Amino acid sequence: MTMKKILSLIVAVAMLLSVTAVAFAEEAEVKTLTGKEYGTDYTSLYEQFGKGITIEDVYEDESTGLCYIEVDGEEYELGLDFLSMAMVYNTQVAGDYETADDVYAAWWRLYMQRWNYLMPEIPLYSNEYYDLYNAQIEGVVEHPTNPYWSPSDALIDWTSTKEDNSIIIGNTTDLSGKFRYSSFGGTNPGAADLDIEEMTTGLGTVVTNKEGGYQWNDTVVKAHDEVENEDGTKTFTITIYDDLKFSDGTAITAKNYLVHALVFSTPVAAQAAGKDHRSMMTVAGYEDYTAYDGTEGSGTKEISGLRLIDDYTFSVTISADYLPYFYDLTYAGFTPEYVPMWIGEADIKDDGNGAYLTEEFYAKDDEGKFTTAELITATALNTDTTYPYSGPYMVVSYDDADKSAVLERNPEFKGNYEGAVPTIEKVIYKKIISSTQLEDLKSGNLDAISGITGGDETNEALALADSSDGKYVYTHYSRAGYGKLGFRCDYGPAKYAEVRQAVAYCMDRAKFAKDFTGGYGGVVDGPYYTGSWMYQAAVDQGMLLNAYATSVDSAIEVLEEGGWIYDAEGNEYVEGVRYKKIPAAEATENDINYKSKDGAYVTTQVGDDYYMPLALNWYGTTDNPFTDQLMTGFATNENLTGAGFDIQYTLGDFAPMLDELYQAAVYGYYSGSPMYAVFNFATGFTSAVYDYSYTMTIDPSMYDDYSIYYIKDEADIYWLQ
């Protein structure tokens, strides 16, 4: 059933006064994935048709912004997976569009309109940022931060006049110790861990510049070549300089650029991480390589698309399935890592058929487990100089108790893409508490506070700088991102679009943003940065977004249309908490066991059907002014109560919150039973590469590893039978 048909049905029902909302819910046709197999019963619409579709084939509903294609006389609505894939893989010029940029912007606009309709998270404030510094740190005004260039990047151009030539920086997010690979075992890295990784990892072949774009790193790359092959693949050949070194003086060669990609495309690393990171998914020969487990017939030990040509030259061939690609330069991006820390006594070789890891890497114990997996896990959590570093700094100590790390300058670092090397000798990275950070700065226990936001906090910081007689300085920029109320979109009531829409209608987002930022910011209606080129182009093309103006009536309307029209006994809803009927054939185990945090509201069974309560469990992070404001803006919001919601919450630390979001013990906190579907944190768009392909997948083999919202857009389902 297409969205157009659904909208027509809703209008027709509204016009028939004798037809109740209950009757509508009972008559609505629903097809569920429960008990169905991907590839047999269904596949993704993009997998079925996407590669042959151009932007010229798409038409949209001018009133809703939703879009469609027609194939063999059948109309198909385009979902988030289709649009996110087409945005970067279907940018060939077609129709009235003159350039690939124009086509990309059109797909981007359609994706944004679909996202805005499904509301997988609710942007609540997009703020102005102020960074405040101890004036003993010099160069911050001449070399400022921006949405694409954080303090961990920018300090390479700064100097310290402090007696010990140091700088003390930090983050409100906890360090976890995943410095070698901050995304290890998860989908997204912790912000603090990522900072450490960025300061200690460098010499990449393709890098992000200060403007957020990608470019070849001339400090590292001596020569490069690109060839489009007859079979549709594309080969990048890269020669690095022979004077690159790790922090211990060890020479960096081509093998160091290949090791991470080779390791994290194997079942060995998947065992170690509890997740398949698929680092070479786009490389020719990946499927055969990733299946190899060290035994004959399991796959191919060589990967044909990655070649070790000589000590300082390697090549990568990209599969035709991932071409053309709007950001194809990023395919040539490799960063060196110390080989033994990931593969131990094994080696990297190439006998002419492709690079491979020698058999020692695939060794197994008596239980059939890969023994190298233990090394990989230990390396991912390594927090000292056991292994050398390639970046401008190296970690010399980490204190897990107070979440602080000490880094020292890497004397062997050749320079960033501009040739800059650090002069600040020591970086002390610590956990920052928002409420006490200014006192830390004034007492000398902190030299930089980044990302100051909110009216009171910003006013206090600016007043301190303006009255300091030059002791403190600040810089300013608009944020490329927002604070948000995020959802686990496959769990509980939050998996239904109408519930997320209703929450958005019940929250006064404009007032929330004004109150939180103190006037130093506003609110956006989708996952974008208003300063990006694609946003400007999409606006010029007439982008249509719903601002979700505050309205309890609108919230109730979408809830009723979505079937939240019952009480716990399956009778027509009158007051209190709403319930939605889920037929037994569609109910998952999580649906059946769903309950509010205090157990007052549970999924009930009436006859053969289940009734889920409109109760949302929220996990809020502590020592966070954003969480504080959500206590009134969300947890005790009278509009939500009036619409039929019940909101319950737990307050706690950031890492346990991530475990609850992932529904996995990535940080060791998850209990094994899902509870929370709502979370508050932030997201950013700090790269010129805006690519969400595969993160909206409905393919179960990739879903857990790639999903960022855990959403399965119904429009992306193509039924095979």
Side-chain angles (χ1 to χ4, degrees):
M1 182 180 293
T2 67
M3 184 54 63
K4 283 183 177 179
K5 292 177 182 177
I6 292 174
L7 292 174
S8 297
L9 179 59
I10 291 171
V11 171
V13 170
M15 295 175 63
L16 296 173
L17 299 180
S18 61
V19 180
T20 67
V22 173
F24 164 74
E26 291 175 343
E27 293 170 4
E29 179 186 354
V30 177
K31 204 167 184 179
T32 176
L33 296 181
T34 303
K36 300 297 190 294
E37 182 178 348
Y38 187 84
T40 300
D41 300 298
Y42 71 101
T43 187
S44 73
L45 187 66
Y46 188 83
E47 181 70 23
Q48 187 70 19
F49 299 125
K51 295 172 186 176
I53 298 297
T54 71
I55 192 66
E56 187 179 23
D57 299 318
V58 181
Y59 54 95
E60 63 183 296
D61 186 319
E62 295 182 357
S63 64
T64 65
L66 303 178
C67 59
Y68 309 83
I69 58 172
E70 186 174 304
V71 180
D72 297 331
E74 185 75 21
E75 181 184 73
Y76 299 94
E77 187 175 3
L78 302 186
L80 288 179
D81 177 59
F82 191 107
L83 294 169
S84 64
M85 293 291 290
M87 188 196 309
V88 291
Y89 292 115
N90 298 44
T91 56
Q92 61 269 39
V93 174
D96 296 330
Y97 298 95
E98 298 179 355
T99 68
D101 283 4
D102 294 336
V103 177
Y104 175 92
W107 285 118
W108 188 92
R109 175 176 58 82
L110 296 172
Y111 167 83
M112 203 59 57
Q113 290 170 179
R114 180 74 184 177
W115 189 101
N116 173 261
Y117 170 75
L118 292 178
M119 219 56 173
E121 60 188 20
I122 301 177
L124 290 176
Y125 67 90
S126 184
N127 42 333
E128 298 292 306
Y129 271 159
Y130 287 81
D131 292 353
L132 184 63
Y133 303 93
N134 174 357
Q136 288 180 290
I137 307 302
E138 297 181 345
V140 298
V141 175
E142 296 81 5
H143 303 281
T145 57
N146 65 49
Y148 305 115
W149 201 245
S150 69
S152 60
D153 300 307
L155 64 83
I156 198 169
D157 292 313
W158 301 343
T159 59
S160 173
T161 61
K162 294 170 65 178
E163 186 174 346
D164 63 350
N165 191 14
S166 72
I167 183 172
I168 307 172
I169 62 175
N171 198 291
T172 56
T173 300
D174 286 347
L175 291 171
S176 75
K178 290 200 295 184
F179 302 158
R180 298 287 182 172
Y181 187 14
S182 58
S183 294
F184 181 78
T187 303
N188 297 307
D193 289 334
L194 182 60
D195 277 351
I196 302 295
E197 182 182 4
E198 289 179 343
M199 286 188 284
T200 57
T201 305
L203 304 178
T205 54
V206 174
V207 294
T208 308
N209 59 34
K210 294 175 181 177
E211 291 73 41
Y214 278 84
Q215 66 176 68
W216 289 103
N217 186 350
D218 294 335
T219 302
V220 168
V221 178
K222 183 178 181 180
H224 59 86
D225 184 47
E226 304 174 26
V227 176
E228 295 184 1
N229 304 307
E230 292 184 0
D231 61 358
T233 63
K234 185 173 184 176
T235 300
F236 296 87
T237 303
I238 303 165
T239 300
I240 60 171
Y241 285 104
D242 62 4
D243 61 348
L244 307 176
K245 296 180 181 180
F246 285 107
S247 57
D248 66 350
T250 304
I252 293 176
T253 69
K255 288 184 179 181
N256 298 110
Y257 283 88
L258 304 186
V259 64
H260 189 277
L262 286 168
V263 167
F264 285 97
S265 294
T266 66
V268 183
Q271 176 186 309
K275 170 188 173 72
D276 186 354
H277 282 284
R278 299 172 181 246
S279 66
M280 289 196 294
M281 185 174 70
T282 61
V283 178
Y286 166 79
E287 294 296 339
D288 289 336
Y289 175 79
T290 195
Y292 183 69
D293 64 4
T295 60
E296 186 175 352
S298 60
T300 306
K301 72 175 181 179
E302 302 98 343
I303 180 162
S304 60
L306 197 64
R307 301 300 312 277
L308 177 61
I309 297 173
D310 61 39
D311 285 347
Y312 298 101
T313 305
F314 63 94
S315 69
V316 58
T317 298
I318 305 304
S319 169
D321 292 340
Y322 299 95
L323 293 167
Y325 178 56
F326 190 70
Y327 298 111
D328 64 359
L329 178 60
T330 60
Y331 288 147
F334 290 79
T335 301
E337 299 194 13
Y338 190 62
V339 171
M341 74 181 190
W342 293 122
I343 67 174
E345 298 299 318
D347 196 5
I348 298 171
K349 293 186 177 182
D350 188 329
D351 301 330
N353 298 316
Y356 66 92
L357 299 166
T358 57
E359 293 304 309
E360 297 91 335
F361 178 76
Y362 295 95
K364 297 178 181 178
D365 61 20
D366 294 339
E367 297 180 355
K369 298 292 183 66
F370 296 108
T371 56
T372 310
E374 295 180 6
L375 170 68
I376 293 171
T377 301
T379 293
L381 300 174
N382 174 252
T383 58
D384 56 33
T385 55
T386 298
Y387 307 109
Y389 296 89
S390 63
Y393 287 92
M394 49 190 180
V395 177
V396 295
S397 67
Y398 169 61
D399 188 334
D400 186 56
D402 65 4
K403 307 300 182 184
S404 66
V406 177
L407 294 76
E408 292 182 356
R409 186 176 64 86
N410 174 8
E412 301 291 350
F413 181 66
K414 185 179 179 181
N416 68 0
Y417 75 98
E418 294 180 319
V421 296
T423 62
I424 297 176
E425 190 64 34
K426 181 168 65 174
V427 178
I428 300 169
Y429 198 99
K430 60 183 287 186
K431 171 69 180 291
I432 296 173
I433 305 300
S434 298
S435 59
T436 60
Q437 61 185 0
L438 280 182
E439 293 304 317
D440 272 355
L441 184 71
K442 289 188 284 187
S443 66
N445 292 321
L446 193 61
D447 292 315
I449 304 174
S450 60
I452 297 172
T453 190
D456 293 340
E457 292 83 357
T458 302
N459 289 332
E460 187 177 1
L462 298 186
L464 174 64
D466 291 340
S467 63
S468 69
D469 196 25
K471 186 176 180 180
Y472 305 107
V473 296
Y474 63 85
T475 59
H476 160 254
Y477 54 91
S478 296
R479 180 180 188 175
Y482 49 71
K484 66 186 181 184
L485 202 61
F487 298 100
R488 173 94 194 196
C489 295
D490 63 354
Y491 178 62
K495 73 180 184 179
Y496 298 102
E498 69 270 6
V499 171
R500 304 188 299 268
Q501 293 168 344
V503 173
Y505 277 125
C506 286
M507 298 186 73
D508 190 338
R509 297 191 304 129
K511 183 178 185 301
F512 190 102
K514 182 179 180 180
D515 290 346
F516 186 75
T517 67
Y520 296 103
V523 67
V524 295
D525 298 316
Y528 53 77
Y529 170 44
T530 57
S532 66
W533 73 268
M534 66 279 287
Y535 174 81
Q536 302 296 336
V539 169
D540 290 342
Q541 291 181 8
M543 183 163 60
L544 177 65
L545 300 179
N546 183 356
Y548 288 92
T550 308
S551 169
V552 178
D553 290 341
S554 295
I556 292 173
E557 181 180 357
V558 296
L559 288 171
E560 289 181 344
E561 290 171 355
W564 296 89
I565 52 176
Y566 301 97
D567 64 15
E569 285 73 44
N571 300 313
E572 184 175 356
Y573 174 80
V574 177
E575 62 181 358
V577 173
R578 294 177 179 272
Y579 284 72
K580 178 185 179 77
K581 182 172 72 174
I582 304 175
E586 300 170 16
T588 66
E589 182 179 354
N590 281 343
D591 294 336
I592 295 170
N593 295 327
Y594 186 78
K595 61 182 179 181
S596 62
K597 179 177 174 288
D598 66 358
Y601 302 99
V602 301
T603 297
T604 58
Q605 184 173 12
V606 180
D608 292 331
D609 299 318
Y610 293 92
Y611 292 81
M612 177 183 288
L614 191 56
L616 295 176
N617 299 321
W618 163 49
Y619 192 112
T621 52
T622 50
D623 292 319
N624 186 341
F626 182 25
T627 300
D628 295 342
Q629 188 163 323
L630 282 168
M631 293 301 295
T632 54
F634 175 61
T636 58
N637 185 317
E638 293 181 356
N639 290 341
L640 287 164
T641 304
F645 283 87
D646 181 76
I647 310 297
Q648 299 188 16
Y649 62 89
T650 290
L651 304 182
D653 292 334
F654 191 78
M657 181 272 287
L658 288 179
D659 270 13
E660 295 293 341
L661 172 63
Y662 299 148
Q663 293 185 359
V666 174
Y667 295 98
Y669 295 98
Y670 184 59
S671 67
S673 299
M675 173 64 70
Y676 302 93
V678 189
F679 309 86
N680 63 285
F681 47 112
T683 195
F685 312 103
T686 55
S687 170
V689 173
Y690 194 102
D691 177 2
Y692 283 86
S693 59
Y694 299 100
T695 63
M696 309 297 166
T697 182
I698 63 170
D699 182 347
S701 70
M702 293 191 288
Y703 181 75
D704 287 338
D705 293 337
Y706 279 80
S707 295
I708 58 172
Y709 308 124
Y710 298 96
I711 191 169
K712 291 185 179 179
D713 189 339
E714 291 181 357
D716 285 312
I717 302 169
Y718 178 83
W719 293 102
L720 296 171
Q721 57 182 25

